[in-house]
Amino acid sequence: MTTIGIFGGTFDPIHFGHLRTAFELLQALRLNEMRFMPAGTPPHRDTTVADAEQRLAMVKAACEGQPGFTVDDREIRREGLSYSVDTMRTLRADFPDHSLCLIVGMDAFLGLPKWHQWRELLELAHLVVAHRPGWRAPSMGPLGELLVDRGTGRINDLHEQRAGCIYIHAVTQLEISSTEVRKLIAMGRDPRYLMPDSVRAIIEQTGCYKSQPKR
């Protein structure tokens, strides 16, 4: 069965922390594809600094030349708020016979019960929780119960079933934050070695983080 990873985010901007996590999961989980999906209008966050087209261009530039990395712009094309469950419904419609793995970070996973129609996600996809080494998964509450019911330690489950499992995987955590990158650029400093040079070039050409609003 073809197995696709779904890696969403605002990517404002995309950096090596995102890319290293995606690459490790692509290899470790034996994914056929890691699909980067820049958010359109995320419901739980402030508006982005770079506009949608700039963020999409940066993600495309970052993924270029890496086998297995693809870019999906459906959230940016959609009008209104970008809820994960709506996105996964459209992906399931497009790929009815594929295994879909929604990649989430540990903080996002801990906040999962606050997501819009979050229980439906596991009917549409697997959840892969990328966490820093040493992190312990919750053993109580709704997430603890969910892990008992849906958790798996078998990578093969992600390939043999289309949806429904939760798989937790430790990844290398590069301490790079998009917020801090934007602050650095706004101060006139060079983000070299925090992101691919192709992304850095777009930021320099567009000036999208030169004078950002205070938050």
Side-chain angles (χ1 to χ4, degrees):
M1 185 185 301
T2 299
T3 306
I4 301 174
I6 310 298
F7 193 176
T10 52
F11 302 124
D12 192 23
I14 192 168
H15 53 65
F16 283 137
H18 301 126
L19 294 165
R20 182 62 203 177
T21 292
F23 184 67
E24 288 188 13
L25 292 174
L26 178 73
Q27 291 191 313
L29 305 186
R30 306 192 303 273
L31 302 177
N32 296 98
E33 175 186 329
M34 181 64 82
R35 185 169 286 241
F36 286 75
M37 192 166 300
T41 306
H44 304 299
R45 299 183 62 170
D46 295 335
T47 56
T48 58
V49 176
D51 65 35
E53 292 304 319
Q54 290 168 338
R55 292 184 292 110
L56 178 61
M58 288 188 278
V59 173
K60 286 182 175 179
C63 294
E64 186 175 1
Q66 173 55 52
F69 279 11
T70 62
V71 182
D72 189 317
D73 66 354
R74 73 184 62 213
E75 287 205 348
I76 283 176
R77 288 186 282 108
R78 181 194 304 142
E79 295 183 358
L81 296 178
S82 294
Y83 288 109
S84 294
V85 68
D86 294 330
T87 299
M88 296 312 301
R89 286 173 186 148
T90 66
L91 281 162
R92 178 50 68 201
D94 287 348
F95 304 107
D97 300 319
H98 291 4
S99 166
L100 300 178
C101 298
L102 178 61
I103 313 300
V104 298
M106 56 180 176
D107 291 338
F109 179 68
L110 293 175
L112 188 64
K114 298 179 182 179
W115 289 26
H116 180 63
Q117 299 179 356
W118 65 278
R119 291 187 182 277
E120 188 182 341
L121 286 172
L122 282 168
E123 305 307 315
L124 299 166
H126 302 297
L127 282 184
V128 173
V129 183
H131 71 92
R132 67 184 67 237
W135 178 75
R136 297 186 63 179
S139 58
M140 301 177 65
L143 292 181
E145 295 172 4
L146 192 66
L147 284 169
V148 170
D149 292 339
R150 303 293 191 112
T152 182
R154 295 182 68 250
I155 291 175
N156 284 348
D157 286 341
L158 305 180
H159 294 268
E160 296 167 1
Q161 303 174 42
R162 297 185 313 138
C165 297
I166 301 175
Y167 183 84
I168 298 175
H169 187 82
V171 295
T172 303
Q173 292 285 329
L174 303 182
E175 297 297 335
I176 306 174
S177 155
S178 292
T179 300
E180 294 306 314
V181 170
R182 293 196 304 268
K183 288 179 180 178
L184 180 150
I185 295 168
M187 290 188 295
R189 295 167 63 187
D190 190 340
R192 184 189 292 271
Y193 306 125
L194 295 174
M195 59 184 64
D197 284 342
S198 56
V199 175
R200 175 171 162 266
I202 292 172
I203 291 171
E204 289 181 349
Q205 290 163 9
T206 62
C208 55
Y209 301 123
K210 286 293 186 182
S211 57
Q212 58 173 300
K214 294 183 180 180
R215 302 212 175 155

